[in-house]
Amino acid sequence: MLRRLDRELLVRLVEDSRASIISLAKDIGASRQAVAKRLEKLKRSGLVKFTAVPDSKALGLSLKAYILVRISSDAESRARFEAKVKRMKQLSQVHYVYGRFDALVEALVRDHVELSKLVKALHRVEGVQETETYIVREAIKDKPMDPLLRALKA
């Protein structure tokens, strides 16, 4: 269970990951030393990570798609699929799901040509039986931190 100080620190960092230790301490009503110590502990535990997140469109990755994949149920097919998708750098997320399909894949590519090549590569994986692709037309909400903030504030 997280301490109140840890929760408040994490909420503040999600809101502004570049905030200084002094600013964080002031905002949550703790000493600079206490905040620095807690932040180090959170980093060592793996609960908090700092990274740069470049804008995908600025990098030319303007097409996002979700691909549903149906895979043979045998262990070898699943293992081949997992090994292949882990190496595909166009894929940002791969999840096994319940339903008619077995996996949901999130892809970020330059254009339709690259997406078509990606889908064909998925079909070449032995055991992949079917795919269904959904191209994102418009993002209504893209706030992956919202559920984490909700949990932290609960």
Side-chain angles (χ1 to χ4, degrees):
M1 190 60 125
L2 288 173
R3 296 178 176 179
R4 179 195 58 82
L5 177 66
D6 293 338
R7 287 178 178 278
E8 290 178 10
L9 180 57
L10 287 169
V11 166
R12 187 67 179 86
L13 286 169
V14 168
E15 292 169 347
D16 180 6
S17 63
R18 294 184 51 110
S20 68
I21 298 287
I22 293 170
S23 171
L24 291 168
K26 180 181 170 193
D27 290 349
I28 63 176
S31 71
R32 182 185 57 77
Q33 294 85 354
V35 169
K37 182 179 173 184
R38 295 309 302 165
L39 184 55
E40 270 310 307
K41 187 172 182 177
L42 291 169
K43 286 194 291 190
R44 279 194 314 274
S45 74
L47 192 60
V48 66
K49 301 172 192 163
F50 293 95
T51 186
V53 182
D55 180 79
S56 58
K57 286 186 174 65
L59 296 173
L61 301 172
S62 58
L63 193 135
K64 182 184 281 191
Y66 292 93
I67 306 165
L68 292 164
V69 185
R70 196 160 56 84
I71 309 160
S72 297
S73 60
D74 61 282
E76 296 82 19
S77 292
R78 302 268 170 160
R80 278 190 296 274
F81 173 76
E82 290 173 17
K84 181 69 174 179
V85 296
K86 286 177 181 176
R87 292 190 310 269
M88 298 174 103
K89 298 301 182 190
Q90 307 93 324
L91 305 181
S92 56
Q93 296 183 43
V94 180
H95 305 278
Y96 280 127
V97 296
Y98 294 110
R100 191 169 82 79
F101 288 89
D102 302 298
L104 173 66
V105 175
E106 181 182 74
L108 197 55
V109 295
R110 290 184 300 273
D111 53 32
H112 288 84
V113 172
E114 187 177 4
L115 178 61
S116 181
K117 288 178 183 176
L118 174 65
V119 171
K120 287 176 184 174
L122 285 171
H123 277 276
R124 284 193 297 272
V125 177
E126 188 179 339
V128 169
Q129 298 174 329
E130 178 185 7
T131 64
E132 191 168 317
T133 303
Y134 294 87
I135 297 172
V136 174
R137 179 175 58 97
E138 179 181 3
I140 304 302
K141 180 178 180 180
D142 188 5
K143 299 277 188 176
M145 292 296 127
D146 275 4
L148 302 178
L149 282 169
R150 179 178 167 261
L152 287 167
K153 292 176 180 180

